[in-house]
Amino acid sequence: MKTNLKTRTVLVTGFEPFDGAEINPSQEIARNLNGTVIAGHRVVGALLPCVFGAAIPELKRLIGVHRPALVICVGQAGGRAAITPERVAINIDDARIADNAGAQPVDRPIVRGAPAGYFSTLPVKAIVAALREVGVPSEVSQTAGTFVCNHVFYGLMHTLRTSKGVRGGFIHVPYLPEQAQKGQASLPLEDMVFGVALAVETALRCKKDLRLAGGQTQ
Ligand code: PCA
């Protein structure tokens, strides 16, 4: 893929609500960041369907239209207490619940014959350190699961493998306060929007990740 450095665009995607929910924080984050400017880059915030298969062509279409220098896909990971940059995408769909089109693939490769996994090309530890520095809870996650988020993350990294200089990755975020059941963790939307904006800025500024021992990111 050719990159157009003149446009200096960042693509941030969120997902539509799934599993019968009415809201998805990642959709709200993408909506809030759309049109903002971060470190000289215009942010395009866009929505992906929570549908196996269909989500990847839509992501590819957005990349083709906007030619971003950086792509960060965001999704909800209900129950997590922190903003979690994902380290690795794996080549498998294994759904615990149906997606928004009713599909529930089990043990199915995302791209047949492609590598078992791809690492994020975001500076995941630098992002965690930057967020913690300003008091936003954050940690590196070692798995994005095997549902639509991992599916899109894998599709993203598979697509970007031939796009020299274009970096990308995935960030999972907790529930919003209004979604959390008693005892479940959540974060206010403004903290999540601020946190993802800071992740974008850190990724743009920090070409090389920090080398911090696992779990010791501050
Ligand atoms: N979270 C789901 C899919 C869409 C979303 O926001 C996941 O973690 O796979």
Side-chain angles (χ1 to χ4, degrees):
M1 188 187 317
K2 244 179 77 197
T3 61
N4 182 348
L5 292 176
K6 265 184 249 146
T7 56
R8 296 168 70 84
T9 295
V10 172
L11 177 63
V12 175
T13 67
F15 279 102
E16 58 189 12
F18 64 103
D19 197 19
E22 277 168 16
I23 193 168
N24 187 323
S26 65
Q27 175 175 16
E28 305 307 318
I29 292 166
R31 202 200 316 263
N32 274 270
L33 290 180
N34 184 41
T36 60
V37 175
I38 301 176
H41 291 65
R42 187 175 58 89
V43 179
V44 173
L47 185 66
L48 297 179
C50 187
V51 175
F52 286 104
I56 294 177
E58 176 57 8
L59 176 63
K60 284 187 183 170
R61 190 191 67 78
L62 290 164
I63 292 172
V65 169
H66 299 291
R67 303 247 171 242
L70 172 73
V71 184
I72 300 188
C73 299
V74 184
Q76 162 191 311
R80 288 194 189 171
I83 293 181
T84 48
E86 297 290 347
R87 193 196 290 265
V88 60
I90 61 171
N91 190 9
I92 203 82
D93 289 333
D94 191 10
R96 187 181 45 82
I97 54 170
D99 71 9
N100 286 1
Q104 192 174 356
V106 173
D107 296 348
R108 194 179 67 187
I110 298 165
V111 183
R112 213 165 277 283
Y118 287 110
F119 288 116
S120 171
T121 48
L122 301 180
V124 291
K125 289 190 173 174
I127 290 171
V128 168
L131 266 63
R132 287 188 179 183
E133 177 91 22
V134 295
V136 177
S138 185
E139 56 194 55
V140 175
S141 165
Q142 315 299 345
T143 175
T146 51
F147 192 51
V148 182
C149 286
N150 173 74
H151 181 85
V152 158
F153 182 19
Y154 188 90
L156 171 66
M157 302 319 297
H158 188 68
T159 302
L160 294 186
R161 78 196 185 288
T162 51
S163 310
K164 210 166 174 282
V166 183
R167 295 196 298 163
F170 198 97
I171 298 179
H172 262 124
V173 297
Y175 280 139
L176 291 164
E178 60 264 41
Q179 294 177 284
Q181 309 279 325
K182 209 164 172 265
Q184 281 181 326
S186 67
L187 272 183
L189 179 61
E190 59 186 58
D191 291 12
M192 299 212 227
V193 172
F194 179 68
V196 174
L198 188 52
V200 168
E201 187 184 338
T202 305
L204 289 171
R205 291 194 195 286
C206 186
K207 301 291 175 210
K208 213 169 163 269
D209 202 1
L210 298 176
R211 194 146 180 274
L212 300 163
Q216 293 170 17
T217 35
Q218 60 182 356

